[in-house]
Amino acid sequence: LLLASSRANSIIAHCTSMMARRKGRGMSMKMSCQRCTKFIFVLLLQSALSASPTIAVSSASTLTPLPQIRRGSSKSDAFLDRSSAKVSNAFLRKVADIRSGAIESADKRLSQCARQRLTVLLVATALFNDMLQLTMLLPIIHTLVTSPPPLGVEGNSELALGIFFASKDICQMAMAPVAGILTSKTSPNVALLLSTVGLGLATAVFAEATTFWQLLLARGAQGAASAAVMCGGMSLIAETHSANNRGSAIGLAQTGLAGGLLCGPLIGGLLFERLGRRNTFRLAAVIVLMNALAQLVLMSFAPPERHIAADAKGGGQDQKKGGKMTLLASSRSLLTNRDILGVASSTFAIHAVVGVIKPLSQVVLDREFGVSMVHRSLIISIATVTYFMSTPISGWVSDHMSRPHLVALSLGLMALSAVFFALRTCFGMWAFNICVGLLGTSMGVAGSSSQSLLADLVDRNNIGSYSMAYALSDVADSLGLIVGPIVGLFLSQRFGPSSGVLSVGALCVFLTPVMLRIKP
């Protein structure tokens, strides 16, 4: 620092002459060095205060002002003492200001971090309750449909059961654009709160239903609320997190979705046996409405802070033109953007394979392997456990590597799952277990990486609205679960069970290079 200073030559000359004068007066070399050191210290502090650099608070807090003028000192020593005391006092005042500012900024960072964690917890709880209400019916609905009318149906109960399960996906696909518009017009907070309330009311209808059509209506209402929960929850995380930590947040939030999928059938079966249908769904409705109340309290006292990186890049220009223009511009950009359509197509392909394997697995385990109902449930739970484990891990990984490559990996895993489904005829139950495990892992990797990739594409292309992108993804999700079983089961009846799964799995292979061409 001294050699780089413009006053380095004068400093060296002054110190040399001072040491010569001290030596001529008989002063020791030690005292001469102390005077020179004090002089250099004053100059350095003056330069530091004028430049205002970032000063380490921990080391600066231990400094104390230099002593005042001592008796018997020479004029030059008195000048150095006064200058050093004045500059060191100013230095400490500067350190105090920096320390107070650092503490305030640290408090703000901690507050923002705490709010982000509350946001992830809020969305994870909402997704958990959503999937919990949807899967609690799995061990119960067959008993309800086959019961005597008016709650049950006469004749073809299998057809009624298929219509009942399909109603959720149809209503979710139809209401996903409406949920995107609602989220864009209001806010993700409001959309998430209203959808949770709607989910609680739909669950209450299950408790008080007396006919099959009322059950069907409640199931459709659950599908509509599920679309709003997913759209509002993912939009809320995308708006409050930057691209650096968005994947981990979405992975943790979707862990709640996987937890509801894992716990729903078990909780529903246990409560149904002990409490009956009415008390089971009344209790479930109360839990969901308490979750809505908790969301309202958290949003009131600790509202999430929106991340404005997209606006800084120019994405907020359309928003200044009004909500109607923003919605039209977002929809037009979504439908013409190849990268976003590629991500939506990958979501469709993955859920189409899931939709084919889900009904065929029950037939294969029953007819080809003769597996009991309990053993069958344990085998299917392999997919749920791997989905639960892979979702947060893939979310964390998506923050440290290319997200398009992760989506391509999920497509490859799903295609490999279809291959092992066909290899069950050669390798038996082990191949089928690997197929189920790969299916859950692929869904976990695709869930966190594709949702965070959609938010990145919205920021990069200045679309401005996360909600419409997630609405498109929700439409692709539901459409895959509807079209996949229809096409796959038709091909399976014509050419065998494996042909339908392999045909839909080939779509995953076709889309893999499309995802690899997307720039990270």
Side-chain angles (χ1 to χ4, degrees):
L1 180 62
L2 287 175
L3 293 177
S5 175
S6 60
R7 305 174 63 184
N9 293 331
S10 61
I11 291 174
I12 295 174
H14 180 83
C15 293
T16 303
S17 61
M18 181 181 291
M19 292 178 66
R21 289 196 301 270
R22 301 296 183 188
K23 187 174 182 180
R25 296 177 185 176
M27 187 176 293
S28 65
M29 181 62 69
K30 180 178 180 181
M31 295 181 63
S32 300
C33 291
Q34 288 178 352
R35 300 303 189 276
C36 294
T37 303
K38 185 179 292 187
F39 179 76
I40 295 172
F41 175 70
V42 172
L43 294 178
L44 288 178
L45 283 182
Q46 287 177 346
S47 301
L49 290 176
S50 62
S52 298
T54 302
I55 304 171
V57 176
S58 60
S59 61
S61 61
T62 59
L63 295 177
T64 57
L66 293 177
Q68 299 296 327
I69 302 174
R70 298 186 303 272
R71 294 182 180 179
S73 300
S74 62
K75 292 182 179 181
S76 60
D77 293 337
F79 171 76
L80 288 176
D81 286 334
R82 282 197 308 271
S83 300
S84 61
K86 184 185 297 185
V87 175
S88 65
N89 288 330
F91 177 77
L92 290 177
R93 285 195 299 270
K94 176 75 72 173
V95 169
D97 294 338
I98 292 174
R99 170 182 283 182
S100 61
I103 292 174
E104 290 178 1
S105 61
D107 290 340
K108 291 181 180 179
R109 287 194 299 269
L110 289 175
S111 177
Q112 183 180 6
C113 183
R115 290 186 182 190
Q116 287 182 347
R117 292 176 181 175
L118 286 176
T119 301
V120 173
L121 178 62
L122 198 71
V123 176
T125 307
L127 293 177
F128 174 80
N129 282 323
D130 177 32
M131 188 55 64
L132 185 69
Q133 309 310 314
L134 294 176
T135 55
M136 280 178 62
L137 285 166
L138 294 180
I140 303 172
I141 190 60
H142 185 267
T143 303
L144 298 179
V145 172
T146 56
S147 61
L151 187 62
V153 294
E154 293 180 347
N156 196 349
S157 59
E158 288 79 8
L159 178 61
L161 198 61
I163 294 174
F164 179 83
F165 282 109
S167 62
K168 180 260 179 185
D169 295 320
I170 294 174
C171 291
Q172 183 173 351
M173 181 184 65
M175 292 301 296
V178 180
I181 295 173
L182 174 65
T183 306
S184 179
K185 291 290 186 180
T186 57
S187 67
N189 305 4
V190 176
L192 186 62
L193 179 61
L194 293 178
S195 61
T196 306
V197 173
L199 182 64
L201 296 178
T203 307
V205 173
F206 271 109
E208 308 301 332
T210 56
T211 64
F212 174 75
W213 296 108
Q214 292 177 355
L215 292 176
L216 193 63
L217 177 64
R219 184 67 174 181
Q222 279 188 338
S226 179
V229 169
M230 180 63 68
C231 185
M234 293 296 101
S235 299
L236 184 60
I237 291 180
E239 287 190 358
T240 55
H241 290 75
S242 63
N244 296 329
N245 59 352
R246 189 178 287 156
S248 300
I250 291 178
L252 291 175
Q254 291 205 350
T255 304
L257 190 72
L261 182 63
L262 183 64
C263 301
L266 178 62
I267 294 176
L270 292 177
L271 293 179
F272 183 74
E273 290 182 357
R274 295 179 177 272
L275 302 178
R277 175 178 65 91
R278 292 182 181 273
N279 292 331
T280 296
F281 288 106
R282 285 172 182 170
L283 177 61
V286 170
I287 293 175
V288 176
L289 293 177
M290 288 177 63
N291 182 23
L293 181 61
Q295 291 180 16
L296 182 61
V297 171
L298 289 176
M299 291 176 185
S300 300
F301 290 95
E305 294 183 353
R306 184 177 181 270
H307 182 72
I308 57 174
D311 292 346
K313 297 178 182 179
Q317 295 177 357
D318 293 337
Q319 295 179 355
K320 297 178 181 179
K321 299 180 181 179
K324 184 176 180 180
M325 186 62 185
T326 301
L327 182 61
L328 292 175
S330 299
S331 302
R332 189 183 303 111
S333 300
L334 283 173
L335 297 177
T336 56
N337 189 284
R338 295 182 179 179
D339 294 341
I340 293 179
L341 291 178
V343 177
S345 301
S346 66
T347 303
F348 169 81
I350 287 174
H351 287 84
V353 177
V354 174
V356 178
I357 293 180
K358 186 187 297 183
L360 286 179
S361 61
Q362 302 294 329
V363 177
V364 168
L365 291 175
D366 184 24
R367 295 180 180 178
E368 297 184 8
F369 297 104
V371 177
S372 63
M373 182 66 70
V374 177
H375 192 193
R376 205 181 305 170
S377 301
L378 292 176
I379 294 174
I380 300 301
S381 65
I382 296 175
T384 308
V385 173
T386 53
Y387 177 43
F388 181 81
M389 295 175 61
S390 60
T391 298
I393 297 175
S394 61
W396 180 84
V397 172
S398 67
D399 288 336
H400 298 83
M401 66 174 294
S402 173
R403 287 166 181 163
H405 291 176
L406 281 177
V407 179
L409 175 63
S410 66
L411 289 170
L413 291 175
M414 188 59 73
L416 196 60
S417 174
V419 172
F420 274 97
F421 182 86
L423 290 177
R424 76 190 185 281
T425 56
C426 301
F427 299 98
M429 184 62 71
W430 286 106
F432 189 83
N433 291 336
I434 294 174
C435 162
V436 175
L438 289 174
L439 185 143
T441 305
S442 174
M443 289 184 63
V445 174
S448 55
S449 58
S450 63
Q451 300 300 308
S452 55
L453 178 58
L454 281 175
D456 293 344
L457 294 175
V458 168
D459 291 340
R460 183 188 307 171
N461 297 281
N462 297 330
I463 295 176
S465 178
Y466 298 109
S467 58
M468 298 307 297
Y470 289 125
L472 179 63
S473 176
D474 207 4
V475 169
D477 182 343
S478 303
L479 190 63
L481 293 175
I482 294 173
V483 176
I486 295 175
V487 176
L489 292 176
F490 174 77
L491 294 176
S492 297
Q493 289 178 353
R494 288 294 186 92
F495 307 103
S498 300
S499 59
V501 177
L502 291 175
S503 301
V504 182
L507 181 60
C508 296
V509 178
F510 174 76
L511 290 173
T512 300
V514 176
M515 296 307 303
L516 292 175
R517 283 198 296 266
I518 297 178
K519 296 181 180 180

